[in-house]
Amino acid sequence: QVQLVESGGGLVQAGGSLRLSCAASGRTFSSYAMGWFRQAPGKEREFVAASRWTGGSTYYADSVKGRFTISRDYAKNTVYLQMNSLKPEDTAVYYCAARKGGSYYSTIAYDYWGQGTQVTVSS
């Protein structure tokens, strides 16, 4: 069982930065790949970034590539999403999630979800 709690969301001006954190509890955290998704009002939840549980492989949506960075700290059981050069279209509730297998990009592959944290980017 993995429990996930996100933090770090807030209001920021366009061009600014935020760092989201996702604290995981559960002894098997290191065996899960971790992902970040977001959902804007009236839209479906979409993939943002993911990190394999071994090695340094990371995956990003085209819309955030070069601006967002996913990282994880196994000692702290925490995964981060560093978001730079934020745009108003990045406004959404951001969720972290954990998966053991399946596509990195699909919501249905993820077994555990956090409650979400709101990110609002003003123009």
Side-chain angles (χ1 to χ4, degrees), residues 108-122:
I108 63 174
Y110 287 78
D111 304 294
Y112 301 100
W113 292 84
Q115 83 289 349
T117 185
Q118 176 71 46
V119 172
T120 303
V121 184
S122 63

Side-chain angles (χ1 to χ4, degrees), residues 75-118:
K76 295 183 178 180
N77 276 2
T78 300
V79 62
Y80 303 99
L81 185 68
Q82 178 67 44
M83 306 186 296
N84 298 327
S85 302
L86 282 162
K87 305 175 181 180
E89 51 263 44
D90 295 318
T91 295
V93 177
Y94 283 71
Y95 300 88
C96 73
R99 62 172 275 286
K100 279 235 174 183
S103 169
Y104 290 99
Y105 305 95
S106 173
T107 57
I108 63 174
Y110 287 78
D111 304 294
Y112 301 100
W113 292 84
Q115 83 289 349
T117 185
Q118 176 71 46

